[in-house]
């Protein structure tokens, strides 16, 4: 079917059915001539209005697929393509779970506005001033090279009119796509219509997500686009790093992060005053308890048992707290 | 070193002593710390440790500064004051570097880190090989 929809083959859509060009060989020609003989009653299918074979501009077409059925069952017929179309649709309107989640992510807020300011240089010269959340986002914008695409996505995000219209259509139960209409069209044109229809179906199924997204967007409508771009960048990449301090999404637990600080190269001396140089590494604390510091890289050190990544640092009688914020700031 | 070079160095030393001293005590791995400024002449006869104590015992601190002092004291509970990868001994000038403000005013800067040693494994001394700032 994919080949059919990707082709320039002329198809006919009639009463919600796709008609394909009839193969032509002497046997078929003979049958056709008998069907279309003047005075002969044409054989109808179960549905009285639908002919099995139709003639359009001198060409014969045979009934093949029910467009409605194809559309309704596409998720089962071609789940891979359906998922792709769904993702494209959600991305187009910035509706992915990551985007919606990031604006309401309380853990991320703690990391960005309470933990990170402790570890990055916020002020120039000798000024020491506590920054408000907007100023911290300005600082991140200065320190991180955010690709231009996220600024464009921020514009899409802040323009909530298209979503508002979709939501209104859904709530008024007005169809959000038009059927293709009867007549001849190419495979590619049918494909374009089909994709639009599937995306409309996706939007319909995401009614609640759209309503929630719209609420968030109205809330952030006055935010600076560059601030939105930062959050979209974090939603997409799950990580940022500034001045050796950073965080990265913990893919094992939704909404959780590893917050880390890079050590520089350092040396340890033993009791004979011999120095041992150690390479830099990232010491992290997960926002998912227990809040025990560990080394992210494969690393060897007297405080680590093995030579592998993600080893907890031996900390004698250390008892991790149940609170996220002070633990990250103090232990890193 | 020639006499001329020596004379120049001495002149520079003298000039440096006329600069204000900016002391910054940073708790743990924080990027910014508690800042204190000493006028020229007010710090030369004192050890860096004494200057740190004076800074940490300052009154009339803002709420942010008070929080930083709390952090520093928490680190110093079993911890040390380190500057340029060493425990602080001697005078501030031994650790100072010359810097200037955006307006071009020169000053001497000494970053000091209050670090609590790692409480695990065996006792080792840790030296930071990177820049303090």
């Amino acid at each position: 079917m994919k080949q059919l929809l990707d082709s320039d083959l002329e198809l006919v859509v009639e009463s919600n059915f796709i008609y394909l060009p009839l193969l032509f060989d002497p046997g078929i020609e003979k049958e056709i001539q008998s069907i279309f003989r003047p005075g002969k009653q044409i054989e109808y299918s179960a549905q009285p209005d639908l002919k099995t074979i139709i003639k359009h501009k001198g060409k014969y077409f045979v009934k093949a697929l029910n467009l409605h059925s194809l559309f309704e069952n596409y998720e089962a017929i071609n789940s891979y393509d359906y998922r792709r179309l769904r993702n494209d649709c959600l991305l187009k309107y910035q509706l992915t779970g990551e985007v919606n989640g990031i604006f309401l992510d309380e853990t991320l807020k703690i990391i960005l506005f309470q933990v990170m300011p402790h570890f990055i240089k916020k002020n120039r010269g000798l000024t020491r001033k506590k920054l408000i959340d907007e100023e911290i986002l300005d600082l991140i914008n200065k320190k991180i090279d955010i690709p231009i695409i996220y600024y464009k996505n921020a514009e899409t995000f802040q323009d909530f009119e298209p979503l508002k219209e979709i939501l209104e259509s859904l709530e008024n139960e007005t169809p959000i796509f038009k059927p293709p209409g009867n007549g001849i069209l190419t495979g590619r044109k049918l494909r374009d219509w089909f994709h639009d229809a599937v995306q409309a179906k996706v939007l319909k199924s995401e009614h609640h997500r759209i309503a929630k997204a719209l609420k968030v967007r109205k809330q952030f409508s006055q935010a600076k686009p560059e601030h939105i771009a930062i959050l979209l960048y974090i939603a997409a990449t799950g990580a940022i790093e500034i001045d050796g301090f950073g965080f990265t999404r913990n893919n094992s637990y939704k909404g959780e992060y590893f917050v880390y600080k890079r050590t520089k190269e350092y040396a340890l001396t033993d009791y004979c005053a011999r120095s041992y140089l150690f390479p830099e590494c990232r010491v992290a604390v997960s926002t998912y308890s227990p809040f025990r510091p560990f080394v992210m890289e494969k690393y060897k050190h007297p405080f680590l048992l093995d030579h592998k990544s993600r080893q907890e640092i031996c900390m004698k009688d250390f008892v991790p707290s149940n609170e996220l914020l002070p633990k990250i700031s103090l232990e890193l | 070193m020639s006499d001329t070079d020596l004379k120049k160095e001495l002149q520079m030393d003298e000039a440096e002593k006329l600069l204000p001293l900016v002391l910054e005590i940073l708790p743990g791995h924080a990027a910014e710390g508690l800042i204190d400024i000493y006028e020229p002449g007010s710090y030369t006869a004192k050890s860096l440790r004494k200057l740190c104590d004076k800074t940490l015992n300052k009154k009339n601190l803002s709420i942010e500064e008070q929080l930083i002092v709390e952090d520093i004291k928490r680190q110093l509970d079993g911890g040390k004051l380190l500057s340029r990868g060493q425990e602080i001994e001697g005078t501030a000038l031994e650790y100072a570097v010359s810097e200037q403000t955006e307006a071009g005013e020169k000053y001497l800067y000494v970053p000091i880190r209050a670090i609590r040693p790692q409480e695990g494994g065996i006792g080792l001394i840790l030296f930071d090989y990177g820049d303090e700032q």
Side-chain angles (χ1 to χ4, degrees):
Chain A
M1 201 195 75
K2 190 177 181 307
Q3 283 172 327
L4 177 75
L5 292 177
D6 285 340
S7 72
D8 280 324
L9 194 69
E10 285 190 327
L11 312 165
V12 169
V13 173
E14 181 91 21
S15 304
N16 214 16
F17 267 86
I18 303 173
Y19 283 77
L20 298 179
L22 190 63
L23 292 173
F24 208 71
D25 69 14
I28 292 173
E29 189 182 11
K30 208 172 168 185
E31 276 183 49
I32 292 293
Q33 278 171 356
S34 113
I35 291 169
F36 284 87
R37 197 175 60 228
K40 160 97 182 174
Q41 189 73 29
I42 297 172
E43 189 191 331
Y44 289 103
S45 67
Q47 289 169 279
D49 293 345
L50 296 175
K51 300 163 188 172
T52 308
I53 291 170
I54 57 169
K55 193 175 181 185
H56 199 283
K57 291 183 181 171
K59 293 176 188 171
Y60 294 103
F61 294 86
V62 62
K63 193 166 79 176
L65 293 162
N66 182 316
L67 203 49
H68 181 74
S69 173
L70 181 66
F71 164 68
E72 285 297 334
N73 298 296
Y74 196 58
E75 189 175 356
I77 294 166
N78 189 342
S79 60
Y80 173 80
D81 198 45
Y82 180 83
R83 276 204 307 274
R84 189 183 61 79
L85 289 171
R86 184 177 178 279
N87 287 343
D88 287 351
C89 175
L90 296 180
L91 277 174
K92 182 179 167 188
Y93 294 102
Q94 294 293 311
L95 282 171
T96 57
E98 288 81 10
V99 169
N100 270 342
I102 212 87
F103 287 88
L104 305 167
D105 188 339
E106 291 301 320
T107 304
L108 182 69
K109 275 187 199 166
I110 291 176
I111 298 170
L112 284 179
F113 303 129
Q114 295 184 57
V115 180
M116 193 171 73
H118 183 76
F119 293 101
I120 62 170
K121 199 154 171 60
K122 303 173 286 294
N123 300 288
R124 298 181 72 180
L126 301 176
T127 319
R128 294 292 178 269
K129 192 187 100 180
K130 193 172 189 288
L131 303 185
I132 59 167
D133 295 355
E134 282 73 20
E135 288 171 323
I136 291 167
L137 290 172
D138 284 339
L139 186 73
I140 295 172
N141 190 44
K142 266 186 216 159
K143 296 210 175 198
I144 297 221
D145 194 13
I146 299 205
I148 195 88
I149 181 77
Y150 295 100
Y151 292 97
K152 286 183 182 163
N153 290 346
E155 281 174 28
T156 310
F157 182 90
Q158 287 192 298
D159 177 17
F160 53 79
E161 280 306 317
L163 270 193
K164 203 174 152 189
E165 281 171 24
I166 291 167
L167 191 66
E168 279 168 5
S169 301
L170 289 174
E171 279 166 3
N172 298 334
E173 292 187 351
T174 49
I176 46 180
F177 70 95
K178 287 179 187 167
N182 291 347
I184 203 157
L185 70 169
T186 63
R188 285 181 211 276
K189 279 199 172 164
L190 184 64
R191 180 194 60 191
D192 293 345
W193 172 85
F194 188 72
H195 285 180
D196 288 347
V198 169
Q199 294 200 343
K201 188 180 175 217
V202 168
L203 290 173
K204 194 176 174 187
S205 69
E206 299 292 346
H207 189 151
H208 290 295
R209 191 194 288 248
I210 294 169
K212 196 174 160 189
L214 204 55
K215 209 172 156 187
V216 172
R217 288 178 199 199
K218 281 180 180 168
Q219 200 182 324
F220 284 85
S221 61
Q222 300 303 314
K224 287 185 187 174
E226 54 267 36
H227 294 176
I228 301 291
I230 291 168
L231 292 170
L232 294 178
Y233 176 74
I234 295 172
T237 61
I240 56 170
E241 183 177 318
I242 299 170
D243 297 347
F245 170 85
F247 61 85
T248 179
R249 191 180 284 135
N250 178 346
N251 291 324
S252 306
Y253 297 97
K254 199 180 172 198
E256 302 295 344
Y257 298 85
F258 296 122
V259 185
Y260 64 83
K261 176 88 175 81
R262 279 185 194 278
T263 69
K264 294 165 189 162
E265 272 191 343
Y266 61 95
L268 295 179
T269 55
D270 62 14
Y271 58 87
C272 297
R274 288 174 297 206
S275 296
Y276 302 88
L277 181 65
F278 285 79
E280 75 153 43
C281 66
R282 288 176 298 168
V283 175
V285 175
S286 170
T287 58
Y288 186 79
S289 66
F291 307 118
R292 285 188 170 277
F294 66 94
V295 181
M296 294 178 87
E297 286 76 21
K298 190 176 176 184
Y299 208 70
K300 197 159 173 59
H301 188 278
F303 295 172
L304 302 173
L305 284 174
D306 296 305
H307 183 211
K308 60 181 187 185
S309 59
R310 303 211 172 183
Q311 291 186 82
E312 269 187 21
I313 299 171
C314 167
M315 293 188 77
K316 252 186 183 172
D317 305 321
F318 169 73
V319 181
S321 122
N322 294 325
E323 252 184 295
L324 165 68
L325 173 63
K327 265 308 111 180
I328 291 177
S329 308
L330 295 175
E331 296 310 331
L332 279 177
Chain B
M1 191 183 285
S2 70
D3 286 352
T4 325
D5 289 339
L6 194 62
K7 199 175 170 187
K8 265 187 191 169
E9 197 167 88
L10 285 171
Q11 278 172 346
M12 271 173 65
D13 281 351
E14 287 306 309
E16 279 185 348
K17 282 176 193 170
L18 296 174
L19 294 175
L21 175 80
V22 175
L23 207 70
E24 182 168 25
I25 308 175
L26 306 112
H29 291 276
E32 291 177 353
L34 181 69
I35 285 221
D36 201 4
I37 301 170
Y38 290 89
E39 292 303 315
S42 67
Y43 56 86
T44 40
K46 291 175 186 147
S47 70
L48 181 55
R49 186 167 294 277
K50 277 210 166 150
L51 292 177
C52 288
D53 289 341
K54 196 177 168 197
T55 299
L56 290 174
N57 290 313
K58 258 174 65 173
K59 307 289 172 202
N60 303 324
L61 296 173
S62 67
I63 292 169
E64 283 88 35
E65 286 174 325
Q66 284 174 34
L67 292 173
I68 297 172
V69 171
E70 274 176 32
D71 275 355
I72 293 169
K73 289 190 172 162
R74 200 178 293 121
Q75 291 287 341
L76 288 179
D77 179 17
K80 293 174 177 180
L81 287 171
L82 300 175
S83 184
R84 313 273 175 222
Q86 298 169 43
E87 275 193 71
I88 54 166
E89 286 164 4
T91 64
L93 281 176
E94 290 169 42
Y95 301 91
V97 285
S98 180
E99 290 188 356
Q100 62 179 26
T101 62
E102 281 175 59
E105 292 165 309
K106 280 192 166 183
Y107 61 90
L108 293 172
Y109 177 67
V110 183
I112 299 147
R113 227 167 250 288
I115 292 271
R116 184 170 51 185
Q118 172 66 50
E119 294 169 337
I122 48 171
L124 292 165
I125 302 168
L126 186 147
F127 292 110
D128 191 345
Y129 267 40
D131 296 326
E132 280 297 328
Q133 286 292 292

